[in-house]
Amino acid sequence: MKKATVERILDAAEVEFGAHGFVETSLRTITGKAGVNLAAVNYHFGSKKGLIQAVTDRFFEPLTVGLQAHLQELAKAEISHHDALVQIYRGLLLEALRIAQGNPARLVLFARLVNSAYNQSQGHLRKHLTHQYAPVFMLFIQAMREHMPSMDHEQFFWRFHQLMGMMVFTLSNSEALTAICAAEYAQQRGLPEIVQQLIATLVAAAEAPVVAIEKLA
Amino acid sequence: MKKATVERILDAAEVEFGAHGFVETSLRTITGKAGVNLAAVNYHFGSKKGLIQAVTDRFFEPLTVGLQAHLQELAKAEISHHDALVQIYRGLLLEALRIAQGNPARLVLFARLVNSAYNQSQGHLRKHLTHQYAPVFMLFIQAMREHMPSMDHEQFFWRFHQLMGMMVFTLSNSEALTAICAAEYAQQRGLPEIVQQLIATLVAAAEAPVVAIEKLA
DNA sequence: GTTAGTTTGAAACGAATGTTTTAAACGTTC
DNA sequence: GAACGTTTAAAACATTCGTTTCAAACTAAC
């Protein structure tokens, strides 16, 4: 049986958005790949923005649910700052990995979505994300803050951006990501291993000592 | 005296590209801000791609010249791996900072340009950059490789991407970047201080020990 | 079986974009 | 100062995009 139109649009949109971004993907290519009529997008989702947000929710809703549970359980555990940081990022990326279902393109989509939470382009998506998932975001940030003491507010602000940047950018590199997964020369290297290495670097960067500000030049 | 048309287009394009990206900036807004005719872009630069590459070259040419000199001098020095890494990123970011001339928007532009060297969208710019500045890129990568021993090829590949990602993403955050520079609450924090902290995190991430690959789930 | 509501199909609309064209203005050279 | 190549000006062109329209097809309830 043929999948429902809505679902086929979402599937196609997800792939195209992940591969070429939001602005550079036209509704016509989406409906073309989905094998549905062009008008179906505006009928079912109201607008292109609506479609983008629908794609977002289909990924973020299960992600945030899983992450929230993970973080709440983590809050009860008594572990070192280091282990906590590992678990925080492990929780986030493991959830993303689970939802991506081993598909590199879906991880790229995840990275793009998080990126939109920071970027002022696609402002509607930023608003949608922050409004919809603010509690989990807050939980995530506070968990990091808690286990990154010895930083004042501003230092943490920038360190946090740096960490998110590393994560988002690494996972956005669709070319390298898909290449490494399809490569014969790296049989045992897949998405999980890449994520594993990413976590290690993230935590090391998080724990980097704060430098004394001195003149650069 | 009025600046030449070419220069005024480049100035305006630089600002707009840095603020809104390449695809989301139209030639009409550029020529509008520059106070020149629309056709002038295609006349002087051939196409929009040509303009993008011209903007790129005006930033990258002096940058790469300075960086190459810095790296060559660094190769002669006998210092620790740690200090070398600091100097490598210090050299890159200091050059970018010098060319940006204290303007946050120009740093954002720099980040976007580097991003285009990785992203397959704007493929023409990627080709242009890699063709034009390949020697300096190679010099930079090899310098990093040299001072990040204990990593095999694949590990270094991903670590390098992670580092570039952190740098690019942090400097791409134009909103935060300009806000922090204009803020009253942080009188002594400017671009140089942000870059200083970035370098510290970059080096810490570069030196993060390679993890043993184990099963994640 | 008829009817009311929902979904799909094909075409067109209006706006925005990069590019091209044509002519006028400018500047330099002989 | 006349002639010629260069630069600018204004308009139009061709294409693409998101969106809308309206009729046809389908679905489900009575």
Side-chain angles (χ1 to χ4, degrees), chain B residues 41-154:
Chain B
V41 170
N42 282 295
Y43 174 75
H44 287 288
F45 301 99
S47 65
K48 188 180 183 181
K49 290 181 182 180
L51 172 60
I52 292 175
Q53 293 180 7
V55 170
T56 300
D57 286 332
R58 198 168 68 147
F59 199 106
F60 259 59
E61 211 177 270
L63 176 86
T64 50
V65 168
L67 180 60
Q68 180 154 2
H70 183 86
L71 290 176
Q72 284 171 344
E73 193 162 349
L74 192 62
K76 296 185 223 151
E78 292 194 5
I79 52 179
S80 67
H81 286 323
H82 175 85
D83 290 344
L85 288 175
V86 171
Q87 288 304 321
I88 289 169
Y89 271 106
R90 197 182 169 98
L92 173 62
L93 290 172
L94 226 60
E95 281 300 318
L97 213 50
R98 179 176 65 82
I99 292 161
Q101 294 172 329
N103 188 350
R106 300 201 78 186
L107 258 193
V108 174
L109 177 74
F110 168 67
R112 283 193 199 275
L113 292 174
V114 176
N115 193 5
S116 295
Y118 281 86
N119 203 320
Q120 63 181 356
S121 92
Q122 294 296 322
H124 71 98
L125 186 50
R126 181 201 178 117
K127 284 180 189 168
H128 177 72
L129 281 166
T130 50
H131 274 67
Q132 197 81 7
Y133 307 106
V136 189
F137 287 174
M138 288 300 145
L139 211 60
F140 181 77
I141 292 177
Q142 283 173 0
M144 292 227 59
R145 184 83 189 89
E146 200 172 325
H147 296 100
M148 288 166 71
S150 80
M151 288 191 200
D152 64 28
H153 181 71
E154 194 179 337

Side-chain angles (χ1 to χ4, degrees), chain A residues 5 28 36-40 43-44:
Chain A
T5 303
R28 282 172 175 81
V36 303
N37 192 268
L38 170 62
Y43 175 74
H44 287 287

